[in-house]
Amino acid sequence: MKRLIIHDPERLRQATRSSEGRRRRNKTFVAVCVITASLSLCFLAVLLLSILIQGAPSLDWGFLTNPPEQDPEEAGVFPAVIGTVWVCGICAVLTLPLGVATAIFLEEYQPQSWMMKKLHSFVQLNITNLAGVPSVVYGILGLTVFAQMFGLLGNSNEPVVELGAEYFYQFVTEEGEVVFVPVAGPDAPQPALVDGMTAVTSPDGGRTVTLHIVPPGGRLPRDEEARRWTLRHDDTGGIISEKEWYHMGLPLGRSVLAGGLTLMLVVLPILIIAAQEALRGVPLSLKEGAYGLGATQWQTIRKVTLPAAVPGIMTGSLLAMSRAIGEAAPLLMISGIIYIKFAPGNLMDEFTAMPLQIFSWAQE
């Protein structure tokens, strides 16, 4: 290795001064970065401390478990917290696989034909543009597509197709027992009361009983057990429903599922772009080494590229979900409900969320 030897004293002094100047500038830049970061952390600490000082006296178990009330002393955030968990859970379950799969397609599977190249560039251009669209636009889109389904399936408040729901007519027997007679749907007429028909004691799996129907002018049976399950021929009942947590129907209406799908549209471009950057950051030598050992493209992606890109993908996922949790405009377009006193129990329930609850309280 050759060493540079400077024999001219003036050039040596100039080189020394230049080196010292670069070191001073480097130290100054580092100091500025440290001061800026320290100030940012101080501002964050002051903000969190002020929030803690102001909010701690009002934070108790009742605040977390009570529904919203007109009296501030009794108001809580339980329905909003559960609604946020439902909506963001649906958003995460749908967004993460779709976003990562799209990023893998765009980065790892380079098109060969002219048509696929055009499709590739079209998808990439749209994802880049969609990342900058205001969230309220996604709310309008979700209301039209998911909640109302373009109006093609009728009224969104009455699903045309349902899954995970059972309907019953509820009757009260002569001895005060409540029985449930299954019917086909929410619009089914009251079933004709016929002697010997069957009913259940609970809509969620109670035991089956045989009903005794008293005809016009007839008398109640003398047997106490038979009278326990006896109805008169002109008794009227009311329809009720039993819905599982996965209950859903089309159109989706202003439901938890529609809200989760709308938030998916909001954060999907962000996640795709973050996953693409993580995949680009994987060293090419790792992929070439896998190919050199005889691995296929999919094996290389699954065993080498994805594990190396997981930290970046997780960072992008956290950023995307943090935005989803804080979105108010699209959820306001979908839900339209701010004051709600019950937590959602299935995918088709109405809901509110923490951003909507905070928006409501800020107005008041």
Side-chain angles (χ1 to χ4, degrees), residues 325-344:
I325 292 174
E327 287 291 347
L331 294 183
L332 186 61
M333 296 295 298
I334 294 296
S335 174
I337 301 176
I338 295 177
Y339 183 80
I340 186 170
K341 300 189 68 172
F342 62 88

Side-chain angles (χ1 to χ4, degrees), residues 76-92:
V77 294
F78 181 73
V81 170
I82 300 302
T84 300
V85 171
W86 269 90
V87 172
C88 292
I90 293 171
C91 176

Side-chain angles (χ1 to χ4, degrees), residues 248-308:
M248 62 174 295
L250 297 177
L252 300 177
R254 298 179 180 272
S255 62
V256 173
L257 183 56
L261 290 171
T262 302
L263 285 186
M264 178 194 72
L265 297 180
V266 175
V267 302
L268 188 58
I270 302 173
L271 178 59
I272 292 175
I273 293 174
Q276 283 185 270
E277 293 297 329
L279 292 171
R280 290 193 194 111
V282 178
L284 184 61
S285 58
L286 294 178
K287 303 178 185 179
E288 292 176 345
Y291 289 136
L293 293 174
T296 63
Q297 186 174 12
W298 170 239
Q299 288 174 331
T300 301
I301 293 173
R302 184 165 59 93
K303 297 290 187 179
V304 177
T305 308
L306 269 181

Side-chain angles (χ1 to χ4, degrees), residues 167-169 180-184 191 198-200:
Y167 293 90
F168 302 85
Y169 261 90
F180 303 87
V181 178
V183 292
T198 59
V200 292

